[in-house]
Amino acid sequence: MPKVSVEIPQELLNDLDEHVGDEGKFVNRSDAIRASIRKTLDTLDQIDKRHGRVNSSESEDTELESTE
């Protein structure tokens, strides 16, 4: 799995760390960040669909489904 480095404000990192560990929702920071990215991308996909902006590969998938 590729590694990515980012710089984030300390306050944001502190907030993230509150959700990581034995008492948190995530096992580690990487798990929390991956989940956040997935959720953000899903949200952006939903917004694009509402506004009629659909990725060309998604359009092809939809067309295939409708012809089956």
Side-chain angles (χ1 to χ4, degrees), residues 25-56:
K25 299 172 192 84
F26 302 100
V27 176
N28 54 45
R29 287 177 177 171
S30 293
D31 186 37
I33 292 167
R34 280 190 295 270
S36 179
I37 291 170
R38 283 187 197 103
K39 180 146 180 87
T40 300
L41 292 174
D42 287 346
T43 300
L44 290 172
D45 286 345
Q46 291 172 0
I47 291 168
D48 284 343
K49 286 179 185 177
R50 278 195 302 254
H51 292 277
R53 298 183 299 250
V54 181
N55 184 331
S56 62

Side-chain angles (χ1 to χ4, degrees), residues 8-34:
I8 61 172
Q10 186 63 48
E11 183 176 319
L12 184 58
L13 185 60
N14 294 343
D15 288 346
L16 177 71
D17 285 343
E18 290 180 15
H19 300 283
V20 174
D22 293 336
E23 300 297 319
K25 299 172 192 84
F26 302 100
V27 176
N28 54 45
R29 287 177 177 171
S30 293
D31 186 37
I33 292 167
R34 280 190 295 270

Side-chain angles (χ1 to χ4, degrees), residues 45 48-49 52-66:
D45 286 345
D48 284 343
K49 286 179 185 177
R53 298 183 299 250
V54 181
N55 184 331
S56 62
S57 65
E58 289 177 10
S59 296
E60 293 170 6
D61 291 343
T62 304
E63 289 173 15
L64 288 175
E65 290 172 5
S66 64

